[in-house]
PDB file of all heavy atoms in Angstrom:
ATOM      1  N   VAL A   1     -18.592   6.685  21.876  1.00  0.00           N
ATOM      2  CA  VAL A   1     -17.396   6.276  22.604  1.00  0.00           C
ATOM      3  C   VAL A   1     -17.397   4.707  22.821  1.00  0.00           C
ATOM      4  O   VAL A   1     -16.346   4.156  22.737  1.00  0.00           O
ATOM      5  CB  VAL A   1     -17.213   7.091  23.878  1.00  0.00           C
ATOM      6  CG1 VAL A   1     -16.274   6.408  24.770  1.00  0.00           C
ATOM      7  CG2 VAL A   1     -16.844   8.472  23.528  1.00  0.00           C
ATOM      8  N   GLU A   2     -18.555   4.208  23.204  1.00  0.00           N
ATOM      9  CA  GLU A   2     -18.632   2.740  23.396  1.00  0.00           C
ATOM     10  C   GLU A   2     -18.329   1.994  22.196  1.00  0.00           C
ATOM     11  O   GLU A   2     -17.591   0.980  22.321  1.00  0.00           O
ATOM     12  CB  GLU A   2     -20.063   2.475  23.935  1.00  0.00           C
ATOM     13  CG  GLU A   2     -20.240   0.925  24.251  1.00  0.00           C
ATOM     14  CD  GLU A   2     -21.727   0.688  24.720  1.00  0.00           C
ATOM     15  OE1 GLU A   2     -22.466   1.674  24.977  1.00  0.00           O
ATOM     16  OE2 GLU A   2     -22.025  -0.535  24.850  1.00  0.00           O
ATOM     17  N   LYS A   3     -18.701   2.462  21.059  1.00  0.00           N
ATOM     18  CA  LYS A   3     -18.344   1.848  19.840  1.00  0.00           C
ATOM     19  C   LYS A   3     -16.888   1.920  19.536  1.00  0.00           C
ATOM     20  O   LYS A   3     -16.193   0.971  19.092  1.00  0.00           O
ATOM     21  CB  LYS A   3     -19.172   2.408  18.588  1.00  0.00           C
ATOM     22  CG  LYS A   3     -18.751   1.830  17.250  1.00  0.00           C
ATOM     23  CD  LYS A   3     -19.493   2.561  16.168  1.00  0.00           C
ATOM     24  CE  LYS A   3     -18.950   2.140  14.824  1.00  0.00           C
ATOM     25  NZ  LYS A   3     -17.618   2.696  14.583  1.00  0.00           N
ATOM     26  N   MET A   4     -16.278   3.077  19.859  1.00  0.00           N
ATOM     27  CA  MET A   4     -14.870   3.322  19.666  1.00  0.00           C
ATOM     28  C   MET A   4     -14.050   2.306  20.489  1.00  0.00           C
ATOM     29  O   MET A   4     -13.008   1.782  19.952  1.00  0.00           O
ATOM     30  CB  MET A   4     -14.522   4.695  19.996  1.00  0.00           C
ATOM     31  CG  MET A   4     -14.860   5.808  18.999  1.00  0.00           C
ATOM     32  SD  MET A   4     -14.376   7.391  19.582  1.00  0.00           S
ATOM     33  CE  MET A   4     -12.627   7.246  19.346  1.00  0.00           C
ATOM     34  N   GLU A   5     -14.532   2.129  21.717  1.00  0.00           N
ATOM     35  CA  GLU A   5     -13.745   1.151  22.571  1.00  0.00           C
ATOM     36  C   GLU A   5     -13.757  -0.193  21.958  1.00  0.00           C
ATOM     37  O   GLU A   5     -12.701  -0.903  22.029  1.00  0.00           O
ATOM     38  CB  GLU A   5     -14.328   1.129  24.019  1.00  0.00           C
ATOM     39  CG  GLU A   5     -14.159   2.432  24.729  1.00  0.00           C
ATOM     40  CD  GLU A   5     -14.873   2.506  26.060  1.00  0.00           C
ATOM     41  OE1 GLU A   5     -15.911   1.840  26.135  1.00  0.00           O
ATOM     42  OE2 GLU A   5     -14.466   3.244  26.923  1.00  0.00           O
ATOM     43  N   GLY A   6     -14.909  -0.674  21.457  1.00  0.00           N
ATOM     44  CA  GLY A   6     -14.978  -1.964  20.847  1.00  0.00           C
ATOM     45  C   GLY A   6     -14.145  -2.058  19.636  1.00  0.00           C
ATOM     46  O   GLY A   6     -13.436  -3.074  19.418  1.00  0.00           O
ATOM     47  N   ASP A   7     -14.148  -1.026  18.759  1.00  0.00           N
ATOM     48  CA  ASP A   7     -13.362  -1.051  17.578  1.00  0.00           C
ATOM     49  C   ASP A   7     -11.923  -1.029  17.847  1.00  0.00           C
ATOM     50  O   ASP A   7     -11.061  -1.586  17.126  1.00  0.00           O
ATOM     51  CB  ASP A   7     -13.735   0.158  16.672  1.00  0.00           C
ATOM     52  CG  ASP A   7     -14.976  -0.082  15.873  1.00  0.00           C
ATOM     53  OD1 ASP A   7     -15.577  -1.196  16.044  1.00  0.00           O
ATOM     54  OD2 ASP A   7     -15.469   0.828  15.144  1.00  0.00           O
ATOM     55  N   ALA A   8     -11.477  -0.368  19.020  1.00  0.00           N
ATOM     56  CA  ALA A   8     -10.047  -0.332  19.385  1.00  0.00           C
ATOM     57  C   ALA A   8      -9.596  -1.742  19.634  1.00  0.00           C
ATOM     58  O   ALA A   8      -8.463  -2.177  19.286  1.00  0.00           O
ATOM     59  CB  ALA A   8      -9.872   0.590  20.570  1.00  0.00           C
ATOM     60  N   ASP A   9     -10.373  -2.618  20.364  1.00  0.00           N
ATOM     61  CA  ASP A   9     -10.018  -3.931  20.518  1.00  0.00           C
ATOM     62  C   ASP A   9     -10.018  -4.737  19.279  1.00  0.00           C
ATOM     63  O   ASP A   9      -9.144  -5.652  19.100  1.00  0.00           O
ATOM     64  CB  ASP A   9     -11.072  -4.562  21.507  1.00  0.00           C
ATOM     65  CG  ASP A   9     -11.119  -3.977  22.945  1.00  0.00           C
ATOM     66  OD1 ASP A   9     -10.060  -3.487  23.316  1.00  0.00           O
ATOM     67  OD2 ASP A   9     -12.067  -4.072  23.597  1.00  0.00           O
ATOM     68  N   LEU A  10     -10.802  -4.444  18.349  1.00  0.00           N
ATOM     69  CA  LEU A  10     -10.856  -5.120  17.118  1.00  0.00           C
ATOM     70  C   LEU A  10      -9.582  -4.738  16.208  1.00  0.00           C
ATOM     71  O   LEU A  10      -9.047  -5.643  15.524  1.00  0.00           O
ATOM     72  CB  LEU A  10     -12.106  -4.759  16.239  1.00  0.00           C
ATOM     73  CG  LEU A  10     -13.437  -5.320  16.825  1.00  0.00           C
ATOM     74  CD1 LEU A  10     -14.719  -4.860  15.979  1.00  0.00           C
ATOM     75  CD2 LEU A  10     -13.394  -6.865  16.774  1.00  0.00           C
ATOM     76  N   VAL A  11      -9.227  -3.504  16.276  1.00  0.00           N
ATOM     77  CA  VAL A  11      -8.010  -3.134  15.608  1.00  0.00           C
ATOM     78  C   VAL A  11      -6.800  -3.881  16.128  1.00  0.00           C
ATOM     79  O   VAL A  11      -5.870  -4.342  15.364  1.00  0.00           O
ATOM     80  CB  VAL A  11      -7.699  -1.526  15.740  1.00  0.00           C
ATOM     81  CG1 VAL A  11      -6.334  -1.186  15.262  1.00  0.00           C
ATOM     82  CG2 VAL A  11      -8.703  -0.758  14.947  1.00  0.00           C
ATOM     83  N   GLU A  12      -6.767  -4.005  17.490  1.00  0.00           N
ATOM     84  CA  GLU A  12      -5.661  -4.807  18.078  1.00  0.00           C
ATOM     85  C   GLU A  12      -5.705  -6.228  17.651  1.00  0.00           C
ATOM     86  O   GLU A  12      -4.727  -6.939  17.373  1.00  0.00           O
ATOM     87  CB  GLU A  12      -5.845  -4.725  19.586  1.00  0.00           C
ATOM     88  CG  GLU A  12      -4.637  -5.283  20.362  1.00  0.00           C
ATOM     89  CD  GLU A  12      -3.358  -4.392  20.139  1.00  0.00           C
ATOM     90  OE1 GLU A  12      -3.541  -3.156  20.011  1.00  0.00           O
ATOM     91  OE2 GLU A  12      -2.247  -4.934  20.150  1.00  0.00           O
ATOM     92  N   ALA A  13      -6.914  -6.898  17.502  1.00  0.00           N
ATOM     93  CA  ALA A  13      -7.109  -8.236  17.095  1.00  0.00           C
ATOM     94  C   ALA A  13      -6.610  -8.408  15.641  1.00  0.00           C
ATOM     95  O   ALA A  13      -5.908  -9.314  15.299  1.00  0.00           O
ATOM     96  CB  ALA A  13      -8.512  -8.664  17.237  1.00  0.00           C
ATOM     97  N   LEU A  14      -7.060  -7.491  14.834  1.00  0.00           N
ATOM     98  CA  LEU A  14      -6.674  -7.535  13.321  1.00  0.00           C
ATOM     99  C   LEU A  14      -5.180  -7.228  13.182  1.00  0.00           C
ATOM    100  O   LEU A  14      -4.543  -7.896  12.325  1.00  0.00           O
ATOM    101  CB  LEU A  14      -7.412  -6.469  12.539  1.00  0.00           C
ATOM    102  CG  LEU A  14      -9.006  -6.816  12.363  1.00  0.00           C
ATOM    103  CD1 LEU A  14      -9.635  -5.614  11.931  1.00  0.00           C
ATOM    104  CD2 LEU A  14      -9.139  -8.058  11.448  1.00  0.00           C
ATOM    105  N   SER A  15      -4.540  -6.438  14.002  1.00  0.00           N
ATOM    106  CA  SER A  15      -3.150  -6.252  14.045  1.00  0.00           C
ATOM    107  C   SER A  15      -2.362  -7.527  14.385  1.00  0.00           C
ATOM    108  O   SER A  15      -1.368  -7.880  13.763  1.00  0.00           O
ATOM    109  CB  SER A  15      -2.784  -5.126  15.029  1.00  0.00           C
ATOM    110  OG  SER A  15      -1.394  -4.941  15.105  1.00  0.00           O
ATOM    111  N   ASN A  16      -2.991  -8.248  15.295  1.00  0.00           N
ATOM    112  CA  ASN A  16      -2.300  -9.527  15.754  1.00  0.00           C
ATOM    113  C   ASN A  16      -2.402 -10.605  14.609  1.00  0.00           C
ATOM    114  O   ASN A  16      -1.556 -11.511  14.593  1.00  0.00           O
ATOM    115  CB  ASN A  16      -2.950 -10.091  17.002  1.00  0.00           C
ATOM    116  CG  ASN A  16      -2.703  -9.265  18.216  1.00  0.00           C
ATOM    117  OD1 ASN A  16      -1.578  -8.616  18.251  1.00  0.00           O
ATOM    118  ND2 ASN A  16      -3.513  -9.247  19.246  1.00  0.00           N
ATOM    119  N   LEU A  17      -3.421 -10.380  13.690  1.00  0.00           N
ATOM    120  CA  LEU A  17      -3.542 -11.351  12.535  1.00  0.00           C
ATOM    121  C   LEU A  17      -2.653 -10.887  11.409  1.00  0.00           C
ATOM    122  O   LEU A  17      -2.655 -11.525  10.403  1.00  0.00           O
ATOM    123  CB  LEU A  17      -5.003 -11.354  12.192  1.00  0.00           C
ATOM    124  CG  LEU A  17      -5.983 -11.994  13.120  1.00  0.00           C
ATOM    125  CD1 LEU A  17      -7.463 -11.867  12.560  1.00  0.00           C
ATOM    126  CD2 LEU A  17      -5.601 -13.458  13.203  1.00  0.00           C
ATOM    127  N   GLY A  18      -1.921  -9.814  11.622  1.00  0.00           N
ATOM    128  CA  GLY A  18      -0.977  -9.399  10.491  1.00  0.00           C
ATOM    129  C   GLY A  18      -1.365  -8.216   9.732  1.00  0.00           C
ATOM    130  O   GLY A  18      -0.509  -7.761   8.801  1.00  0.00           O
ATOM    131  N   TYR A  19      -2.465  -7.676   9.923  1.00  0.00           N
ATOM    132  CA  TYR A  19      -2.944  -6.471   9.252  1.00  0.00           C
ATOM    133  C   TYR A  19      -2.369  -5.160   9.828  1.00  0.00           C
ATOM    134  O   TYR A  19      -2.209  -5.108  11.012  1.00  0.00           O
ATOM    135  CB  TYR A  19      -4.503  -6.339   9.211  1.00  0.00           C
ATOM    136  CG  TYR A  19      -5.120  -7.511   8.435  1.00  0.00           C
ATOM    137  CD1 TYR A  19      -5.732  -8.479   9.126  1.00  0.00           C
ATOM    138  CD2 TYR A  19      -5.188  -7.452   7.093  1.00  0.00           C
ATOM    139  CE1 TYR A  19      -6.307  -9.579   8.494  1.00  0.00           C
ATOM    140  CE2 TYR A  19      -5.842  -8.573   6.372  1.00  0.00           C
ATOM    141  CZ  TYR A  19      -6.380  -9.566   7.111  1.00  0.00           C
ATOM    142  OH  TYR A  19      -6.960 -10.627   6.366  1.00  0.00           O
ATOM    143  N   ARG A  20      -2.062  -4.209   8.893  1.00  0.00           N
ATOM    144  CA  ARG A  20      -1.591  -2.911   9.444  1.00  0.00           C
ATOM    145  C   ARG A  20      -2.810  -2.158  10.126  1.00  0.00           C
ATOM    146  O   ARG A  20      -3.904  -2.334   9.810  1.00  0.00           O
ATOM    147  CB  ARG A  20      -1.017  -2.043   8.351  1.00  0.00           C
ATOM    148  CG  ARG A  20       0.237  -2.553   7.808  1.00  0.00           C
ATOM    149  CD  ARG A  20       0.793  -1.632   6.747  1.00  0.00           C
ATOM    150  NE  ARG A  20      -0.044  -1.519   5.537  1.00  0.00           N
ATOM    151  CZ  ARG A  20      -0.734  -0.506   5.183  1.00  0.00           C
ATOM    152  NH1 ARG A  20      -0.804   0.599   5.992  1.00  0.00           N
ATOM    153  NH2 ARG A  20      -1.575  -0.520   4.053  1.00  0.00           N
ATOM    154  N   ARG A  21      -2.455  -1.454  11.225  1.00  0.00           N
ATOM    155  CA  ARG A  21      -3.513  -0.743  11.988  1.00  0.00           C
ATOM    156  C   ARG A  21      -4.265   0.222  11.066  1.00  0.00           C
ATOM    157  O   ARG A  21      -5.466   0.326  11.288  1.00  0.00           O
ATOM    158  CB  ARG A  21      -2.845  -0.025  13.155  1.00  0.00           C
ATOM    159  CG  ARG A  21      -2.271  -0.871  14.199  1.00  0.00           C
ATOM    160  CD  ARG A  21      -1.772  -0.093  15.408  1.00  0.00           C
ATOM    161  NE  ARG A  21      -1.096  -0.996  16.355  1.00  0.00           N
ATOM    162  CZ  ARG A  21      -1.880  -1.769  17.276  1.00  0.00           C
ATOM    163  NH1 ARG A  21      -3.136  -1.387  17.466  1.00  0.00           N
ATOM    164  NH2 ARG A  21      -1.190  -2.452  18.145  1.00  0.00           N
ATOM    165  N   GLU A  22      -3.629   0.812  10.156  1.00  0.00           N
ATOM    166  CA  GLU A  22      -4.317   1.777   9.315  1.00  0.00           C
ATOM    167  C   GLU A  22      -5.368   1.085   8.396  1.00  0.00           C
ATOM    168  O   GLU A  22      -6.493   1.478   8.263  1.00  0.00           O
ATOM    169  CB  GLU A  22      -3.348   2.490   8.393  1.00  0.00           C
ATOM    170  CG  GLU A  22      -2.407   3.489   9.071  1.00  0.00           C
ATOM    171  CD  GLU A  22      -1.247   2.733   9.756  1.00  0.00           C
ATOM    172  OE1 GLU A  22      -1.091   1.447   9.601  1.00  0.00           O
ATOM    173  OE2 GLU A  22      -0.450   3.410  10.441  1.00  0.00           O
ATOM    174  N   GLU A  23      -5.048  -0.047   7.821  1.00  0.00           N
ATOM    175  CA  GLU A  23      -5.991  -0.725   7.053  1.00  0.00           C
ATOM    176  C   GLU A  23      -7.087  -1.405   7.873  1.00  0.00           C
ATOM    177  O   GLU A  23      -8.233  -1.560   7.435  1.00  0.00           O
ATOM    178  CB  GLU A  23      -5.266  -1.802   6.127  1.00  0.00           C
ATOM    179  CG  GLU A  23      -4.564  -2.917   6.850  1.00  0.00           C
ATOM    180  CD  GLU A  23      -3.854  -3.896   5.840  1.00  0.00           C
ATOM    181  OE1 GLU A  23      -4.209  -3.771   4.681  1.00  0.00           O
ATOM    182  OE2 GLU A  23      -3.022  -4.638   6.351  1.00  0.00           O
ATOM    183  N   ALA A  24      -6.757  -1.837   9.088  1.00  0.00           N
ATOM    184  CA  ALA A  24      -7.753  -2.365   9.991  1.00  0.00           C
ATOM    185  C   ALA A  24      -8.779  -1.271  10.304  1.00  0.00           C
ATOM    186  O   ALA A  24     -10.004  -1.569  10.298  1.00  0.00           O
ATOM    187  CB  ALA A  24      -7.018  -2.913  11.283  1.00  0.00           C
ATOM    188  N   ARG A  25      -8.298  -0.065  10.657  1.00  0.00           N
ATOM    189  CA  ARG A  25      -9.297   1.054  10.943  1.00  0.00           C
ATOM    190  C   ARG A  25     -10.155   1.334   9.765  1.00  0.00           C
ATOM    191  O   ARG A  25     -11.325   1.606   9.809  1.00  0.00           O
ATOM    192  CB  ARG A  25      -8.483   2.278  11.437  1.00  0.00           C
ATOM    193  CG  ARG A  25      -7.799   2.138  12.704  1.00  0.00           C
ATOM    194  CD  ARG A  25      -7.302   3.487  13.266  1.00  0.00           C
ATOM    195  NE  ARG A  25      -6.501   3.344  14.371  1.00  0.00           N
ATOM    196  CZ  ARG A  25      -5.113   3.465  14.434  1.00  0.00           C
ATOM    197  NH1 ARG A  25      -4.474   3.616  13.293  1.00  0.00           N
ATOM    198  NH2 ARG A  25      -4.451   3.329  15.519  1.00  0.00           N
ATOM    199  N   ALA A  26      -9.507   1.396   8.532  1.00  0.00           N
ATOM    200  CA  ALA A  26     -10.181   1.674   7.283  1.00  0.00           C
ATOM    201  C   ALA A  26     -11.243   0.632   7.023  1.00  0.00           C
ATOM    202  O   ALA A  26     -12.444   0.986   6.700  1.00  0.00           O
ATOM    203  CB  ALA A  26      -9.269   1.678   6.124  1.00  0.00           C
ATOM    204  N   ALA A  27     -11.005  -0.666   7.297  1.00  0.00           N
ATOM    205  CA  ALA A  27     -11.981  -1.740   7.076  1.00  0.00           C
ATOM    206  C   ALA A  27     -13.105  -1.620   8.107  1.00  0.00           C
ATOM    207  O   ALA A  27     -14.251  -1.681   7.675  1.00  0.00           O
ATOM    208  CB  ALA A  27     -11.247  -3.019   7.158  1.00  0.00           C
ATOM    209  N   LEU A  28     -12.804  -1.324   9.281  1.00  0.00           N
ATOM    210  CA  LEU A  28     -13.843  -1.083  10.361  1.00  0.00           C
ATOM    211  C   LEU A  28     -14.729   0.090  10.097  1.00  0.00           C
ATOM    212  O   LEU A  28     -15.939   0.049  10.339  1.00  0.00           O
ATOM    213  CB  LEU A  28     -13.223  -1.007  11.734  1.00  0.00           C
ATOM    214  CG  LEU A  28     -12.683  -2.303  12.297  1.00  0.00           C
ATOM    215  CD1 LEU A  28     -11.788  -1.976  13.556  1.00  0.00           C
ATOM    216  CD2 LEU A  28     -13.801  -3.280  12.717  1.00  0.00           C
ATOM    217  N   GLY A  29     -14.163   1.062   9.400  1.00  0.00           N
ATOM    218  CA  GLY A  29     -14.959   2.264   9.069  1.00  0.00           C
ATOM    219  C   GLY A  29     -15.939   1.927   7.986  1.00  0.00           C
ATOM    220  O   GLY A  29     -16.983   2.662   7.834  1.00  0.00           O
ATOM    221  N   LYS A  30     -15.793   0.859   7.232  1.00  0.00           N
ATOM    222  CA  LYS A  30     -16.759   0.451   6.182  1.00  0.00           C
ATOM    223  C   LYS A  30     -17.793  -0.565   6.614  1.00  0.00           C
ATOM    224  O   LYS A  30     -18.688  -0.930   5.891  1.00  0.00           O
ATOM    225  CB  LYS A  30     -15.914  -0.113   4.987  1.00  0.00           C
ATOM    226  CG  LYS A  30     -15.038   0.855   4.329  1.00  0.00           C
ATOM    227  CD  LYS A  30     -14.218   0.292   3.154  1.00  0.00           C
ATOM    228  CE  LYS A  30     -13.294   1.239   2.495  1.00  0.00           C
ATOM    229  NZ  LYS A  30     -12.540   0.647   1.344  1.00  0.00           N
TER     230      LYS A  30
END
């Protein structure tokens, strides 16, 4: 859960950079 919270913040940051949330989550999964 702690990792999920951090990744949620990263998805938001990547979204602000113009990436779609789906591709941001997929990238973080790798």
Side-chain angles (χ1 to χ4, degrees):
V1 164
E2 184 178 348
K3 174 182 171 294
M4 286 181 68
E5 290 173 334
D7 281 359
D9 292 336
L10 290 176
V11 168
E12 193 66 32
L14 290 167
S15 176
N16 291 335
L17 291 174
Y19 294 101
R20 290 184 295 109
R21 292 179 182 275
E22 292 80 6
E23 61 182 347
R25 292 191 188 102
L28 285 168
K30 294 179 181 179

